[in-house]
């Protein structure tokens, strides 16, 4: 009888834990253009940046040669309309980080260039921003509708 109760409790716990939604956080592995070096990319919050809010962009470059920090890192962020912005980066061993405010929803291209003795490595990744601010025209329309309803 005790075994039946114990198994029932275990089964109920498994069912309950399977039904509880869990927040997913997936880092992205980005390879350089020659597929010889990788970097793990993480963007706060939860790899799903919010337009209009500051995001921390963090690359963990998987190359032991960069541990000494004797390299330069350049991050360029491009919008779908072709505008490019060079973002200030900070280095700590093989870690490259930057702060950036994605101005609006849309698709951005992040290009990281690592310059070191003996060459340059390029990492390119596309980032979609689907949360946050909406353009001014949409905001004005929403505010007008609310005023009319009141």
């Amino acid at each position: 009888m005790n075994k039946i109760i114990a198994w029932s409790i275990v089964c109920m716990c498994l069912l309950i834990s399977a039904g509880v939604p869990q927040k997913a956080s997936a880092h992205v592995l980005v390879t350089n253009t020659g597929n010889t070096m990788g970097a793990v990319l993480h963007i706060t919050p939860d790899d799903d940046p919010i337009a209009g809010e500051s995001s921390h962009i963090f690359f963990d470059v998987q190359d032991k040669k960069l541990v000494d920090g004797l390299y330069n890192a350049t991050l360029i962020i491009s919008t779908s309309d072709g505008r490019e912005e060079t973002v200030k980066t900070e280095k700590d061993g093989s870690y490259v980080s930057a702060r950036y405010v994605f101005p609006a929803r849309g698709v951005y291209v992040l290009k990281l260039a690592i310059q070191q003795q003996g060459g340059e490595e390029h990492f390119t990744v596309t980032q979609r921003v689907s949360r946050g601010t909406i353009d001014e025209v949409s905001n004005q329309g929403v505010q007008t509708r609310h005023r009319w309803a009141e």
Side-chain angles (χ1 to χ4, degrees):
M1 186 70 162
N2 287 337
K3 287 184 179 182
I4 294 173
I5 293 172
W7 277 108
S8 298
I9 291 171
V10 168
C11 290
M12 285 180 16
C13 289
L14 288 174
L15 288 172
I16 290 171
S17 66
V20 175
Q22 300 196 3
K23 193 177 225 181
S25 179
H27 302 308
V28 176
L29 178 63
V30 184
T31 58
N32 65 343
T33 51
N35 287 327
T36 59
M37 188 183 297
V40 177
L41 170 64
H42 175 66
I43 302 176
T44 62
D46 303 320
D47 294 312
D48 188 14
I50 301 170
E53 295 183 16
S54 180
S55 291
H56 187 197
I57 301 168
F58 181 82
F59 287 91
D60 181 3
V61 183
Q62 305 294 306
D63 190 341
K64 292 181 181 180
K65 293 184 286 187
L66 302 182
V67 173
D68 59 10
L70 298 176
Y71 64 93
N72 292 319
T74 305
L75 178 62
I76 298 173
I77 298 180
S78 308
T79 60
S80 57
D81 63 0
R83 287 182 285 138
E84 290 187 342
E85 184 176 348
T86 301
V87 181
K88 180 181 179 244
T89 60
E90 295 181 10
K91 304 179 305 179
D92 184 11
S94 63
Y95 304 124
V96 178
S97 65
R99 292 261 179 208
Y100 185 72
V101 176
F102 292 93
R105 295 178 185 183
V107 177
Y108 295 82
V109 177
L110 285 66
K111 301 173 193 171
L112 177 67
I114 302 288
Q115 301 91 17
Q116 59 182 343
Q117 281 186 341
E120 187 168 296
E121 303 294 339
H122 295 270
F123 300 88
T124 303
V125 64
T126 303
Q127 177 66 48
R128 177 176 297 279
V129 178
S130 58
R131 302 186 301 162
T133 61
I134 303 174
D135 63 321
E136 290 296 318
V137 175
S138 296
N139 281 340
Q140 290 173 356
V142 169
Q143 291 171 355
T144 303
R145 284 188 301 209
H146 287 295
R147 283 190 209 120
W148 178 80
E150 289 172 357

